[in-house]
C-alpha cells in the first residue's frame, strides 16, 4: 500500500482519480485470471521469459550466514529443488505479481518467493512449517514469543528499506541462532500455528526502534509496577434497625471553603507535575528518523478467534512483546501470509496500522493469492455490497471453479526440532543483554553461572546509564533457596528473598551490613518454624519479634538493650550479651481464659524490678484490668524481711473480686511473673544467638553458593546419569503388545 | 481388712481439724507466712487430704465450695454423705472405709476419679450423675453379681476399672465378660487390656452383646423420637399455634360433650359431622401455618434488631477503647514527666494539666455513651412499634380465622338442630324406622329437651374455641410485652454498667494522680 504523503495531500481530483484506479484494480485481476487457465507449456515458457524480463534485479546482498558455515549438499532434497507443484505455485505467484505490478505500478514489488539457503526460490508460505513443540512453555504465545526472541540473536536487514532477497528455512535459523526480522517471524509463526493460534507473518513498515530492536526508549517491563486492583467494597445496604449517625454539627460553609482550598492546592500540584513531565519528555524525546515510514520490518499478527484470543494483536518477534494493532510503532502493512495463503493489503496506511481491518475474507481490503482457503467471505455486513456488484460475483464464481483444484503445497522445510539442551540454554551462548530506558537486563541460562544467577536487572538514575540506582538479581537452583537479591545503591539496603526450604525458614532478609546488632529485618516462613516467628526487626538498641499461631498466644516481643557492661575478658557478642533493660510482650486473646486473667501485655522493667501487666478487655467493656508489681527487697522496722506489702502491687480491676485483693494471690502472681521474666529473657537471648547463627550461615552460603540438581536431571546429576546408563545397558524387555492394539482401538 | 471400732476412738470432723489440715497442706515458706498472716478461707482451698483421721462421719465440708480433690481414705466412714455442696469435685478418694452402699454422689457431676477400694459395697448403682467418670476403683468389695458390669456400660469415658478382690473376680469368665461388655475400657485391675484378648472376648460373648446392643438401641431410638417430638412441640409453642396442625381442637370440643356424642348416632348426623370436621381442620391448619410464618417473621425482625444493636454497641466500644488507649499512652508520658520534674511550680502546672486531661477523657467517654443511649433508644422504640404491629396483625388474622370456626360451628348447630327436630317429629309420628339407643331416645321426649341438648353441645363447642383463642391472644401479647420489657431493661443495665465502668476508671486515674501529689508533697 502506498503511503506517500503527497498523495494524501493532493487535491480532490487526484483523489478521485485514485479511486477510479482502485476500481480498476479490483476488476482487472479477475479478468486476467479468467483468461489464464488454459496454460500450455509454451505459454509457461513465455511467461517465464517475460518474468525474467520484468523481474527487478535485486542487488546481491551478502548473506547473513556465510556459505562456508554449512554444507548445502547435506540438506534434504526438498531444500535443493522445487517440486512440480511448487513450480506451479511460483508461476501463479509470478503471474499474480505481474498483475499486481501492472495495477499498482507505484507500489513496492511483493515479497513472494525469496531464495532459500540453497539459492532456490521458495514461496514464503511454504517456508512456514507449523510445528507443535513438546515443551509446555512453548504452548502459549507469550512464552513462545519470548523464547524466539531469546533464542535468536538479531541481525539487521541488509537494506533497511527493502525486504531481504534470502529467506532461510526455520531449521537453518535455529541451527545458526541468528536471523533478521523475517527469519524471526517465520519461526515464531511456525510455532504459533503449531500451537493452534491463528497467526500470520506480516511484511510491513515499522519504526526505527522496532526495526533495530532498540529498547532504550522503552521502560523495562520488569521495572513496571503492577497496578494494584482496588476492589471496591460492596456497599451493604443499611439494615432496617441501623442506628442513625449523630447529628453533624460542623458548619457546611467552612467545609466548602476547606474543600475549595484543597482543590486549589490540588490543581496547583497537578500543574506542576504536568510541567515536570513535559520537561522530562522533552529530554527523552527521540531524534527524528529521516527514514521514518520506509523501514521494512516483519512481525507476527495473531487474529482473534482461535485459542481463546479475545482480540487481534501484533507480536514483535525481536522482543517477544505484544502490541495492540493500533500501536504507533507499526507504520504500514504490505502483505501477510500464513502456511495456506498470501494476502496483499489494499487499505490505505496513511495513519499507520490504526485504521486497518483484519477481515481477511473481505476481497476489497485484502487481495488474496489463492482461492479456496478457509477464509471465506465473512462479514454479513458486506453482503449488501456483494449484491450491488452482482456482475463481479458471477465472475468470482467462475474463478472459484477453476482455482479450487489448486491449494498451497506442503512446506518444504524439515520438521522443526529443538533439543532439550539447546532449549534450556535458550540464548546464544546462554547469555543475553537488553538495554532498556534507564535499565539493563542481563539473562543467563540456568547452571551457566556457578552461583546460580539467571537474571540481573540494573536500573539507572539517568538516561546515559552511568549512575546505578538499584540492582535486582534472580537466582535459580540455589541450595540455600535464595531467589532474588535486591540491592538498593542509593540507600545501601540489601534485601534477599528466599523460597520455602531455607534451613532457618528464612523468607526475607533485609540488611545494610552483615555485622550483628545492626539494622536488619528478617522474615520467616512461620509455618516451618516451631516457635511461629514471622518477623524479627533489629536496630542497634532494640529487637522486635512477631509471632503467630503459638500455643501460649504470644504475638509480639520487644526488647530494649542497654549499654554493654565492660568486662575484663574479651568482648564478643556471645560471651558478653548486652543487658536487657525492658522486655515488652503482647499476647492475643486466649478464648479459654476469662479476660480478667488473660494477659494482654506485660512489661518487665529489669533495672527497676518493676513488672506491668495489662489484661485483655471483656467483650462488653472498654477498660481493661491492670496490675503493676514493684518489688523492693526491704526490711521492716524489726529487721524482718518484708515478703509482700499491699503497696507492692497497684492494681486496677474492672470487676473487683475478693480473692485478688489477697496478698497471697498477689504474691503468687508476682512469683509467677518473675519466673516468666527469666524465661523471656532467656528466649530473647536465644533469639540473639539465632541471629548470629543465621548471619554466619548466610555468609557461608554466600561463599559456597552450591546449586541443587534435580534427580530427574540425568545430564547434570551424576548419580542419575549413572543409573540411567545402567538402565540403558539392560536389554529392554520386549515391547508391550498392548500398545498397538490400544492404538487400533483408539483409531477405531 | 476390717478395723475394729472398739480399738480406735472415732473423731468428729470439726472446724479445728479442718483448719489444721488446711494450714498444714497450704502454701509453704514465704507464701505460707503470708497465708498465715491473712488466714485461708475454706472456699479458696482446691485440694484437701484427711486420711488416717479415724473419721466416722463426713461433716462440716460445706464451706469448701471450690474443692477439686478430696482424700478421705483410711477412715472409718460408714455412709457417703455431706458431699452435696462440693460440685466441682473431680477426684474423690474414699478407699479403706466401711461404706456399704454407694449413695450421696448425685450432685458431683464433674467427678472423674472415684476410689471406693476396700469397702463393703455389694452393688454398683447410684452413679448415674457421674457422666464424666474415667477411673473407678471398686476392688476389695463384696460385689457378687456379674450383672453389675452392665450397669457400667453407660459411662462413655470410663477407661480404668478395678474389681479384683470381689467375689465376681473369682469367676472363671470374669475378665472375658468385662472385656466384652465394656469395650472402651483400657485398664482392668491396673493392667492394660490386650487388644487380642478383647477381640476374643468380643466373639465369645457375641450373642449376649448383640442382644444387649439391640435393646439399648431401641431405647435410644425411642428417646430420640420423644426428644424430636418435644422439640417440634416447643417450636409450635413459640409460634403460639401448638396442636393446631390437626384435629386436636375439634376432638377436644367433643371430648366433654356428652350430648353431642349421643346425637352423632342420629341418621344423617354422621356425614354432617364428617364434613364439619374436615372444614374445621382445614381452618385450624390455616391458623397453624400462618402462625409459623408469622413466627419466622418475628424472629427475623428480632434478629435484625439484635444484630444492629450489637453492631452499634461494638462500634461505640471500639471508639471508647481507642480513646482510652490514646489517653494511656499520654498518661505514661505525663506521669514520668511529673516524676522527673524538680521545680515545684512546674510540677503543679503539670499536675493541673494532667487533671484536665482526665476530666476531658471522662467527658469524651460520657458523651459517647450518652450518644449511644440516644441512638439506641430511638432504634428500640422503632422496633417496639414494629413488633407490636406485627403481633397485632397476627392476632387480628387469627381472630378472623377463629371467627370462621365459630361460623362453622353455628352452621353445624343449625343443621344439627334441624335434623334433631325432624327426628323428633318423625318419632312423634312414629315414622322412625331405625332403632335408636335408649339414652339417645331419652332425649327425644319433647322439643325443649332436644333443643336444650343441642344447645348445650353448641355452647361447649363455642367455649372451647373461645378458650383456645383467648389463650393464643394472651400468650402472644404477654410474649410481646415481655420482650419489649427485657430489651428496655437490658439497655438500662448496659448503660449503668458502662457509666459505672467509666467512673471507676476515672476514679482510679484520679487516685493515681492524687497519690502522686501526696508523695510529692511528702518528698
Amino acid at each position: 500500500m502506498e503511503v506517500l504523503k503527497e498523495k494524501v495531500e493532493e487535491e480532490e481530483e487526484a483523489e478521485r482519480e485514485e479511486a477510479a484506479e482502485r476500481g480498476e484494480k479490483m476488476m482487472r485481476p479477475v479478468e486476467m485470471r479468467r483468461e489464464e487457465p488454459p496454460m500450455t507449456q509454451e505459454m509457461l515458457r513465455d511467461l517465464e521469459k517475460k518474468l525474467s524480463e520484468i523481474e527487478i534485479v535485486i542487488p546481491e546482498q551478502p548473506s547473513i550466514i556465510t556459505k562456508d558455515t554449512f554444507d548445502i549438499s547435506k540438506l534434504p532434497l526438498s531444500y535443493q529443488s522445487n517440486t512440480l507443484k511448487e513450480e506451479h505455485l511460483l508461476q501463479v505467484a509470478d503471474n499474480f505479481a505481474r498483475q499486481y505490478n501492472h495495477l499498482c505500478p507505484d507500489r513496492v514489488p511483493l515479497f513472494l518467493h525469496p531464495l532459500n539457503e540453497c539459492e532456490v526460490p521458495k514461496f514464503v508460505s511454504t517456508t512456514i512449517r507449523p510445528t507443535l513443540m513438546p515443551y509446555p512453555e512453548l504452548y502459549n504465545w507469550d512464552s513462545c514469543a519470548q523464547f524466539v526472541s531469546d533464542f535468536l540473536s538479531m541481525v539487521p536487514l541488509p537494506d533497511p528499506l527493502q525486504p531481504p532477497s534470502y529467506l532461510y528455512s526455520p531449521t537453518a535459523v535455529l541451527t545458526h541462532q541468528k536471523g533478521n526480522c523475517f527469519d524471526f517471524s517465520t519461526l515464531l509463526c511456525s510455532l504459533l500455528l503449531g500451537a493452534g493460534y491463528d497467526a500470520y507473518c506480516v511484511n510491513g513498515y515499522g519504526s526505527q526502534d522496532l526495526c533495530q530492536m532498540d529498547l532504550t526508549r522503552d521502560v523495562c517491563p520488569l521495572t513496571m509496577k503492577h497496578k494494584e486492583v482496588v476492589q471496591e467494597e460492596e456497599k451493604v445496604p443499611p439494615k432496617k434497625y441501623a442506628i442513625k449517625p449523630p447529628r453533624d454539627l460542623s458548619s457546611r460553609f467552612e467545609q466548602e471553603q476547606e474543600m475549595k482550598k484543597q482543590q486549589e492546592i490540588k490543581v496547583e500540584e497537578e500543574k506542576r507535575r504536568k510541567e515536570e513531565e513535559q520537561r522530562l519528555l522533552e529530554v527523552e524525546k527521540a531524534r527524528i528518523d529521516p527514514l521514518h515510514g520506509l523501514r521494512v520490518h516483519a512481525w507476527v499478527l495473531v487474529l482473534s478467534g482461535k485459542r481463546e484470543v479475545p482480540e487481534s494483536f501484533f507480536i514483535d518477534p525481536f522482543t517477544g512483546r505484544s502490541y495492540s494493532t493500533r500501536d504507533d510503532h507499526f507504520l504500514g502493512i504490505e502483505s501477510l501470509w500464513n502456511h495456506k495463503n498470501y494476502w496483499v493489503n489494499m487499505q490505505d496506511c496513511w495513519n499507520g496500522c490504526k485504521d486497518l481491518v483484519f477481515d481477511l475474507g473481505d476481497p476489497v481490503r485484502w487481495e488474496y493469492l489463492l482461492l479456496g482457503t478457509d477464509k471465506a467471505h465473512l462479514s454479513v455486513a458486506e453482503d449488501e455490497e456483494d449484491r450491488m456488484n452482482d456482475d463481479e460475483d458471477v465472475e468470482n464464481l467462475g474463478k472459484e471453479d477453476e482455482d479450487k483444484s489448486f491449494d498451497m503445497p506442503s512446506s518444504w522445510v524439515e520438521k522443526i526440532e529443538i533439543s532439550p539442551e539447546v532449549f534450556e540454554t535458550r540464548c546464544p551462548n546462554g547469555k543475553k543483554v537488553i538495554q532498556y530506558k534507564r535499565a539493563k537486563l542481563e539473562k543467563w541460562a540456568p547452571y551457566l553461572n556457578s552461583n546460580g544467577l539467571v537474571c540481573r536487572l540494573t536500573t539507572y538514575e539517568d538516561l546515559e546509564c552511568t549512575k546505578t540506582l538499584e540492582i535486582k538479581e534472580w537466582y535459580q537452583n540455589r541450595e540455600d533457596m535464595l531467589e532474588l537479591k535486591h540491592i538498593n545503591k542509593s540507600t545501601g539496603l540489601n534485601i534477599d528473598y528466599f523460597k520455602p526450604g531455607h534451613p532457618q525458614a528464612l523468607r526475607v532478609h533485609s540488611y545494610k551490613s552483615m555485622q550483628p546488632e545492626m539494622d536488619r529485618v528478617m522474615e520467616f516462613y512461620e509455618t516451618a518454624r516451631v516457635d511461629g516467628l514471622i518477623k524479627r526487626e533489629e536496630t542497634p538498641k532494640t529487637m522486635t519479634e512477631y509471632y503467630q499461631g503459638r500455643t501460649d498466644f504470644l504475638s509480639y516481643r520487644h526488647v530494649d538493650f542497654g549499654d554493654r557492661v565492660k568486662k575484663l575478658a574479651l568482648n564478643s557478642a556471645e560471651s558478653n550479651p548486652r543487658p536487657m533493660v525492658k522486655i515488652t510482650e503482647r499476647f492475643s486473646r486466649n478464648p479459654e481464659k476469662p479476660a480478667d486473667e488473660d494477659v494482654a501485655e506485660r512489661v518487665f522493667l529489669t533495672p527497676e524490678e518493676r513488672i506491668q501487666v495489662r489484661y485483655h478487655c471483656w467483650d462488653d467493656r472498654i477498660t481493661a484490668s491492670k496490675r503493676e508489681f514493684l518489688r523492693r527487697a526491704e526490711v521492716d522496722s524489726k529487721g524482718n524481711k518484708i515478703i509482700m506489702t499491699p503497696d507492692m502491687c497497684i492494681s486496677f480491676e474492672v470487676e473487683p473480686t475478693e480473692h485478688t485483693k489477697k496478698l497471697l494471690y498477689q504474691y503468687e502472681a508476682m512469683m509467677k511473673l518473675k519466673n516468666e521474666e527469666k524465661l523471656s529473657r532467656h528466649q530473647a537471648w536465644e533469639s540473639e544467638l539465632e541471629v548470629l547463627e543465621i548471619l554466619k550461615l548466610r555468609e557461608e552460603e554466600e561463599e559456597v553458593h552450591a546449586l541443587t540438581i534435580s534427580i530427574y536431571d540425568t545430564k547434570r546429576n551424576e548419580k542419575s546419569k549413572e543409573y540411567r546408563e545402567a538402565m540403558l545397558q539392560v536389554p529392554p524387555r520386549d515391547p508391550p503388545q498392548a500398545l498397538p492394539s490400544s492404538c487400533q482401538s483408539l483409531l477405531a | 481388712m476390717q478395723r475394729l471400732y472398739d480399738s480406735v476412738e472415732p473423731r468428729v470432723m470439726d472446724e479445728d481439724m479442718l483448719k489444721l489440715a488446711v494450714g498444714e497442706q497450704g502454701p509453704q515458706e514465704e507464701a505460707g507466712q503470708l497465708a498465715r498472716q491473712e488466714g485461708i478461707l475454706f472456699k479458696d482451698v482446691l485440694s484437701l487430704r484427711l486420711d488416717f483421721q479415724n473419721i466416722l462421719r463426713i461433716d462440716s465440708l460445706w464451706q469448701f465450695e471450690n474443692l477439686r480433690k478430696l482424700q478421705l481414705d483410711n477412715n472409718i466412714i460408714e455412709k457417703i454423705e455431706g458431699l452435696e455442696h462440693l460440685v466441682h469435685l473431680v477426684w474423690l478418694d474414699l478407699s479403706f472405709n466401711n461404706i456399704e452402699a454407694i449413695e450421696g454422689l448425685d450432685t458431683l457431676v464433674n467427678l472423674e476419679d472415684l476410689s471406693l477400694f476396700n469397702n463393703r459395697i455389694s452393688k454398683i448403682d447410684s452413679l448415674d450423675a457421674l457422666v464424666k467418670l474415667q477411673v473407678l476403683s471398686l476392688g476389695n468389695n463384696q460385689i457378687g453379681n456379674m450383672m453389675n458390669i452392665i450397669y457400667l456400660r453407660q459411662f462413655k469415658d470410663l477407661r480404668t476399672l478395678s474389681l479384683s478382690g470381689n467375689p465376681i473376680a473369682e469367676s472363671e469368665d470374669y475378665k472375658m465378660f468385662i472385656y466384652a461388655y465394656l469395650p472402651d475400657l483400657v485398664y482392668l485391675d491396673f493392667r492394660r487390656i490386650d487388644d487380642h484378648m478383647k477381640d476374643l472376648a468380643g466373639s465369645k460373648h457375641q450373642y449376649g452383646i448383640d442382644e444387649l446392643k439391640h435393646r439399648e438401641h431401641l431405647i435410644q431410638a425411642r428417646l430420640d423420637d420423644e426428644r424430636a417430638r418435644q422439640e417440634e412441640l416447643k417450636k409450635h409453642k413459640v409460634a403460639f399455634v401448638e396442636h393446631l396442625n390437626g384435629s386436636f381442637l375439634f376432638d377436644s370440643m367433643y371430648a366433654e360433650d356428652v350430648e353431642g356424642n349421643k346425637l352423632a348416632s342420629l341418621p344423617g348426623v354422621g356425614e354432617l359431622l364428617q364434613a364439619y370436621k374436615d372444614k374445621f381442620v382445614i381452618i385450624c391448619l390455616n391458623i397453624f401455618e400462618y402462625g409459623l410464618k408469622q413466627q419466622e417473621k418475628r424472629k427475623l425482625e428480632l434478629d435484625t434488631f439484635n444484630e444492629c444493636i450489637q453492631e452499634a454497641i461494638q462500634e461505640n466500644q471500639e471508639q471508647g477503647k481507642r480513646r482510652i488507649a490514646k489517653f494511656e499512652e499520654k498518661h505514661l508520658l505525663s506521669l514520668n514527666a511529673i516524676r522527673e520534674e524538680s521545680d515545684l511550680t512546674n510540677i503543679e502546672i503539670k499536675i493541673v494539666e494532667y487533671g484536665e486531661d482526665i476530666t476531658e477523657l471522662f467527658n469524651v467517654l460520657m458523651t459517647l455513651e450518652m450518644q449511644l443511649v440516644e441512638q439506641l433508644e430511638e432504634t428500640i422504640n422503632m422496633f417496639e412499634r414494629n413488633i407490636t404491629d406485627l403481633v397485632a396483625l397476627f392476632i387480628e388474622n387469627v381472630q378472623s380465622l377463629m371467627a370462621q370456626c365459630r361460623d362453622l360451628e353455628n352452621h353445624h348447630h343449625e343443621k344439627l338442630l334441624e335434623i334433631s327436630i325432624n327426628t323428633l317429629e318423625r318419632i312423634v309420628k312414629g315414622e322412625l324406622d331405625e332403632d335408636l339407643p335408649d339414652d339417645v331416645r331419652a332425649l327425644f321426649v319433647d322439643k325443649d329437651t332436644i333443643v336444650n341438648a343441642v344447645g348445650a353441645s353448641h355452647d361447649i363447642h363455642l367455649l372451647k374455641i373461645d378458650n383456645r383463642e383467648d389463650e393464643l391472644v394472651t400468650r402472644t401479647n404477654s410474649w410481646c410485652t415481655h420482650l419489649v420489657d427485657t430489651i428496655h431493661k437490658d439497655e438500662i443495665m448496659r448503660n449503668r454498667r458502662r457509666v459505672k465502668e467509666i467512673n471507676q476508671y476515672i476514679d482510679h486515674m484520679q487516685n493515681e494522680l492524687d497519690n502522686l501529689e501526696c508523695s510529692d508533697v511528702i518528698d
Side-chain angles (χ1 to χ4, degrees), chain A residues 240-241 619-620 623 667, chain B residues 30 301 317 497-498 501:
Chain A
K240 196 174 175 184
Y241 292 109
D619 285 341
D620 55 348
T623 53
Y667 174 79
Chain B
E30 289 189 343
E301 196 80 5
Q317 274 179 11
R497 258 164 72 103
R498 179 56 40 79
E501 189 186 354

Side-chain angles (χ1 to χ4, degrees), chain B residues 291-314:
Chain B
L292 285 189
K293 229 181 273 167
Q294 284 291 312
Q295 158 66 11
E296 285 289 301
K297 240 185 197 170
R298 285 196 295 267
K299 195 162 170 281
L300 189 74
E301 196 80 5
L302 188 62
D303 285 350
T304 331
F305 169 73
N306 278 337
E307 201 179 313
C308 290
I309 292 276
Q310 273 317 312
E311 264 170 28
I313 293 174
Q314 214 65 43

Side-chain angles (χ1 to χ4, degrees), chain A residues 428-579:
Chain A
N429 298 326
K431 195 185 170 190
K432 183 156 186 161
V433 182
I434 307 170
Q435 194 79 37
Y436 287 103
K437 177 164 135 190
R438 293 202 192 102
K440 191 170 83 174
L441 184 67
E442 294 162 275
K443 288 183 190 174
W444 290 272
Y447 295 109
L448 190 72
N449 288 324
S450 61
N451 61 354
L453 185 66
V454 290
C455 187
R456 179 193 286 147
L457 174 74
T458 321
T459 35
Y460 300 94
E461 221 171 310
D462 51 348
L463 281 171
E464 287 79 35
C465 296
T466 48
K467 275 181 240 157
T468 318
L469 201 63
E470 54 177 32
I471 300 173
K472 271 186 183 175
E473 291 177 340
W474 281 267
Y475 294 86
Q476 248 175 40
N477 303 317
R478 293 265 298 208
E479 208 151 62
D480 58 358
M481 294 300 182
L482 182 67
E483 192 181 21
L484 167 66
K485 196 181 261 232
H486 187 162
I487 305 163
N488 194 328
K489 286 281 177 193
S490 54
T491 55
L493 188 70
N494 293 11
I495 307 174
D496 296 353
Y497 296 88
F498 297 84
K499 276 193 250 183
H502 186 266
Q504 296 277 7
L506 210 55
R507 191 160 67 95
V508 179
H509 180 202
S510 63
Y511 55 95
K512 283 186 177 169
S513 100
M514 289 296 273
Q515 285 300 310
E517 294 172 24
M518 298 296 279
D519 283 344
R520 82 177 65 254
V521 179
M522 287 179 181
E523 286 176 42
F524 298 89
Y525 289 100
E526 74 275 6
T527 43
R529 285 185 66 102
V530 183
D531 59 357
L533 183 67
I534 299 175
K535 194 162 130 182
R536 179 183 289 136
E537 290 172 1
E538 275 186 284
T539 66
K541 285 272 182 209
T542 64
M543 179 167 75
T544 317
E545 293 171 310
Y546 300 87
Y547 296 91
Q548 199 176 51
R550 282 172 69 109
T551 43
D552 60 356
F553 296 91
L554 180 69
S555 63
Y556 168 92
R557 180 187 285 133
H558 179 91
V559 186
D560 286 317
F561 295 103
D563 292 322
R564 189 164 271 135
V565 188
K566 206 167 192 178
K567 263 191 191 168
L568 288 174
L570 72 156
N571 278 357
S572 81
E574 270 177 83
S575 63
N576 183 14
R578 296 168 291 175

Side-chain angles (χ1 to χ4, degrees), chain A residues 2-67:
Chain A
E2 199 53 278
V3 204
L4 292 179
K5 277 176 187 166
E6 302 96 280
K7 257 211 168 152
V8 182
E9 286 154 15
E10 258 171 21
E11 290 176 347
E12 281 183 340
E13 282 176 44
E15 269 186 12
R16 240 175 279 145
E17 236 176 55
E18 198 190 38
E21 211 178 308
R22 265 173 198 243
E24 249 177 17
K25 241 190 275 171
M26 300 327 327
M27 309 293 284
R28 288 256 196 91
V30 182
E31 284 165 24
M32 299 289 247
R33 259 179 240 165
R34 215 166 33 150
E35 294 166 291
E36 212 175 19
M39 213 192 304
T40 56
Q41 286 290 338
E42 291 98 302
M43 280 184 77
L44 270 177
R45 240 173 275 141
D46 272 6
L47 265 174
E48 242 174 300
K49 225 181 260 172
K50 271 184 209 165
L51 275 175
S52 61
E53 282 164 44
I54 294 167
E55 214 169 30
I56 308 145
V57 183
I58 303 161
E60 195 63 35
Q61 298 289 341
S63 76
I64 309 153
I65 304 149
T66 42
K67 287 283 176 293

